[in-house]
Structures are given as C-alpha cells and as structure tokens.
Amino acid sequence: MKRQRLAHRIFKGIAGLGILGVLGVVALLISLRVEHGTEITLPTPSGPFAVGRTLLEWKDDKSLDALAPLAGTRREVLVWIWYPALAQGTVIDDYLPAPLLAADQGQSGALLTLLTRDPSKVLAHSLRNAGVLPQQQPYPVVIMRAGASLEVVNYSALAENLASHGYVVVGIDAPYRTRTVAFSDGRVLRRTPENDAERCFERAGPEQAPCVTKQLNAWTADIGFVLDRLEQLNISDPSGKFIGRLDMSRVGVFGHSFGGAQAAQFCSRDSRCKAGIDVDGSLHGSVIQAGIHTPFMFLLSGNGDFSSRAEVDQIMADIRAVYDRMPMESRLFVQIRGANHFTFSDDGALLKSQLLRRVLRVFGVLGIDGRRQLAVTSYCIHTFFDAYLKGAGASRPKISSPLYPEIRVLE
C-alpha cells in the first residue's frame, strides 16, 4: 500500500508542480518504460564466499494456520535459503523462479510497473542448488523477514551479501499473508485482504491493535516453526548438503518494516534468538512492555516514509521504551543519513533512472543513492551479526566507519 502511495505521490507531484513540463514528463515516462525492460544486476556481495540459493517447502503437521481462510488448514511455508557455496559446476539462478515469475505477471498496477523492473531482467549472484562450502565450524543461521507482505526474494541483495560473509540466511514466505506464494506443484496462493498488514495499520482506534497482533502472532509463529525444521534439516537433509552445516546455537533474526517488528517480537519472546535487527520498522506487540534481552540493533532511515509526525513520534517513543532498558553492551541505535524507508529492499538497486532519481530528490524521497543505501545497510547488518554471532559479544561493535559517513550512531 505504501509503495502504491509512493508511486501516486511522485506522479501527482510532478503533474501538480509542473517542474518538468509536459515534454519532461513524457521523457520521464518513456525513460521508465524502456528501463523497465532493461537488464540490471544486483550489487555484488562484499564477502569472500560464493553464494548458493535453494528453495524448500515445509508443511506443519502439528499446527494450524491461524490466517488461512479455510478452518483446519495446516501451516505451510516456502523457505528461501542463501548460503556460502561451492562455486564449481553450478549456474547462476534466476532472480525469480519460473513459478513465481509466472504468478507475478500483472500483479502490480501501471504506476508501480513503471517504477520497478521486469523481474525476468534482474540478474542476481546466487548459484542454483550449489553445495555448501565446507568449513570446520557450522555456519550461524539468520532468519530474514520482508517488509509488509512482500516476498523475501525482494531482499536478495541483503541476503546474498550476508551469506557471502559466512551466514546461512533463511527467508520465509507463507500463504495468505505473503503477497504471492508459488509452490512447485503449481499452486499459487495469494495474500487475502484481511491479512494485509498495511491495512491493519490504517485502521483507526481500537480496531488496529487486534488486527496487527493477529498478523504478528502468525508471522512470529512461522519463525519458530522454521527454526524447528532447520534443526531437523541439520540432522537429516534429503539432499545431504545442510547436514551438520547449521549452527543452531547461533541464530539471528532481522527484517525490514513489519519484518523488523517481527524480529523484535520474536527476539523478545524466544530464547533461540541470539541477536536481532529491526530495519526501519515500528514496534508492535508485547515487546514494547517486555523489552528485548538479547543483543539488538535498531537501524533507521534518515528520510522515513509517509507517516505523520504523530506516528513518527509514537514509533520513536516505543523504540526508546525498549532501547533504553537494554544493557549498553548489547544495544545499537543507528540511523543512515539520507536513507529512505522504501529502498532497503532490492528497489534500492533496481531504481536506476538518473532522471527519476533527480525527481525523487526534489521531492525529498531519496537522500542518497539506492545502491549506496544497500551497501551501508549490508555493512551494518553483517558487522552487527559478526560481533554477536561470531565474536565474543562482550561489547557492542564500533559500527561507525570512515567508509560509510552516512552512519549516525544515536544514544
């Protein structure tokens, strides 16, 4: 919903202000249309390891899906796994697997289509079903959650980068709440309107909290289920490649926007989370009162989204209520100057048009280049997890760097 609002605001603003004139608007639309079908490559991962990607489908034989439209439906998830890989004899995987690419056709409105890339033209770096790179110690595991109802593949740039630094990164798509889940048996299950998290936030008064809580509980329960299955995968993997490769004693969780709220809530309630990151997400659920008792970083944008001043003040108050109660050695509060809420996803890399970027800068939507934002974000994420999932974690990392002057550490 907010991405659609962004598109409408941009084009309405251009028309209303007339800053480009008729010819300028036409040139922009033509440029966006041409660019939509042009090949583009995601940022190259900064770590030393090649990256593999595999998809798994898991059904929960014990628990029902609280958000399924049909009572009695079992929980089911599509799991994306990025990991350090053996590079020999494998090919680069498609950015979107064929079933999802087919299911995704025609799902975006005309304005959003103009602002995004044809996913079949996006080139990533992950090797399809490559073997896991062997090493003496198993790899830390990090759960990654998408913003709102986006598919986790929209965060491939962050996932690939983290995996290249020696992590197994696990993203989760779940039917009826993720926008589109395409299973290998041909089923395509879409988010139902009542499970649209953005619509929950737009509800007024006492109707909002129960709606958000229901969504949050279902999403965080999915994390717990996936961790249970990863434990099993580490012992008995039909492919054999993940056996003994997953260090389930070193688990991190991070997410963007509503995914960040899920990370905070899960890390507040489940001791399996050893470190977590909320990337520009407001807090919801019991975490605001209960707090977080494991290392945690709040990583915020400088430009935000389209929330009102009252909403922003409440978001910051909730974050402060949690952050201020945490031990200093296990907390970080970081802002990326100029970053925008909407470009933490792959949109930051795929929105390439220089003409469009200039327009977005005029409207204050972008403060820094989208690829630069992803580079700074990737650095912050792997630096934090390196400290608490690979290091001793006795003191918080010195995340400030002369290479990334956009980083502002708050207290």
Side-chain angles (χ1 to χ4, degrees):
M1 295 292 287
K2 286 186 177 180
R3 293 176 77 188
Q4 293 174 340
R5 209 178 307 150
L6 171 64
H8 283 286
R9 176 173 173 173
I10 290 169
F11 283 100
K12 182 179 178 182
I14 291 172
L17 294 178
I19 61 171
L20 295 179
V22 175
L23 292 179
V25 172
V26 171
L28 174 60
L29 294 176
I30 293 173
S31 171
L32 292 176
R33 184 62 185 172
V34 170
E35 193 169 82
H36 175 76
T38 303
E39 277 194 353
I40 188 171
T41 303
L42 291 180
T44 302
S46 64
F49 302 123
V51 177
R53 190 186 76 179
T54 193
L55 276 69
L56 299 174
E57 299 173 8
W58 290 334
K59 180 171 284 188
D60 191 342
D61 295 328
K62 299 179 181 178
S63 301
L64 300 179
D65 187 345
L67 300 184
L70 183 63
T73 302
R74 295 287 180 186
R75 177 190 289 115
E76 192 172 10
V77 295
L78 177 64
V79 175
W80 305 66
I81 306 181
W82 292 264
Y83 52 91
L86 292 167
Q88 297 86 358
T90 51
V91 297
I92 299 293
D93 206 353
D94 296 329
Y95 178 64
L96 288 192
L100 182 56
L101 182 63
D104 196 52
Q105 297 300 317
Q107 291 301 301
S108 298
L111 292 182
L112 271 179
T113 297
L114 280 175
L115 290 175
T116 56
R117 294 278 179 168
D118 178 347
S120 69
K121 303 296 184 181
V122 177
L123 306 178
H125 303 277
S126 298
L127 304 172
R128 182 183 302 157
N129 293 323
V132 179
L133 182 69
Q135 67 170 14
Q136 287 187 333
Q137 298 295 323
Y139 296 103
V141 174
V142 176
I143 302 294
M144 182 181 73
R145 305 317 312 268
S149 301
L150 283 177
E151 301 87 356
V152 291
V153 70
N154 288 281
Y155 295 82
S156 291
L158 296 181
E160 289 185 337
N161 194 80
L162 187 56
S164 78
H165 285 272
Y167 294 85
V168 173
V169 182
V170 181
I172 308 167
D173 286 337
Y176 315 117
R177 39 205 176 275
T178 298
R179 183 178 59 178
T180 303
V181 181
F183 288 109
S184 59
D185 62 5
R187 288 177 300 142
V188 176
L189 302 177
R190 303 192 189 278
R191 178 197 62 203
T192 56
E194 59 270 21
N195 292 334
D196 184 346
E198 293 290 350
R199 293 189 181 187
C200 284
F201 296 134
E202 292 172 354
R203 293 189 181 187
E207 294 184 354
Q208 184 185 94
C211 181
V212 174
T213 298
K214 183 178 181 181
Q215 299 293 318
L216 191 63
N217 288 343
W219 280 107
T220 53
D222 292 341
I223 300 176
F225 166 64
V226 167
L227 287 177
D228 291 341
R229 290 301 300 263
L230 288 170
E231 290 272 11
Q232 298 175 26
L233 189 70
N234 199 37
I235 298 170
S236 177
D237 174 12
S239 74
K241 63 187 175 187
F242 288 111
I243 295 176
R245 303 297 186 193
L246 311 178
D247 190 341
M248 300 306 296
S249 69
R250 295 186 291 165
V251 171
V253 184
F254 84 99
H256 170 231
S257 195
F258 188 55
Q262 295 165 42
Q265 180 75 353
F266 185 82
C267 291
S268 172
R269 300 174 63 173
D270 197 309
S271 62
R272 288 177 291 182
C273 174
K274 304 305 180 186
I277 302 172
D278 175 357
V279 181
D280 216 35
S282 54
L283 295 181
H284 302 278
S286 61
V287 61
I288 299 172
Q289 290 73 39
I292 300 174
H293 306 286
T294 196
F296 203 87
M297 175 169 69
F298 294 97
L299 183 61
L300 306 184
S301 64
N303 283 23
D305 55 15
F306 299 128
S307 298
S308 68
R309 171 48 56 186
E311 290 172 324
V312 171
D313 289 345
Q314 186 60 58
I315 290 168
M316 294 301 292
D318 291 340
I319 290 175
R320 277 291 180 189
V322 173
Y323 180 82
D324 289 345
R325 302 200 306 268
M326 297 178 62
M328 288 191 64
E329 67 273 9
S330 63
R331 68 183 191 185
L332 266 174
F333 196 172
V334 177
Q335 183 183 64
I336 301 177
R337 295 183 179 93
N340 179 268
H341 179 80
F342 299 98
T343 43
F344 283 107
S345 70
D346 291 347
D347 286 346
L350 304 182
L351 196 65
K352 187 184 176 186
S353 168
Q354 292 302 314
L355 179 58
L356 177 59
R357 287 186 181 281
R358 286 196 292 271
V359 173
L360 295 179
R361 284 179 181 272
V362 168
F363 287 103
V365 175
L366 287 183
I368 59 175
D369 179 79
R371 286 181 170 249
R372 179 66 178 178
Q373 178 174 329
L374 284 172
V376 179
T377 304
S378 294
Y379 164 79
C380 290
I381 289 173
H382 84 72
T383 298
F384 183 82
F385 283 137
D386 282 354
Y388 294 106
L389 297 183
K390 291 184 177 180
S395 60
R396 66 182 184 178
K398 297 184 183 299
I399 207 161
S400 297
S401 168
L403 297 176
Y404 301 105
E406 299 90 344
I407 294 173
R408 178 189 178 200
V409 179
L410 306 174
E411 293 296 343

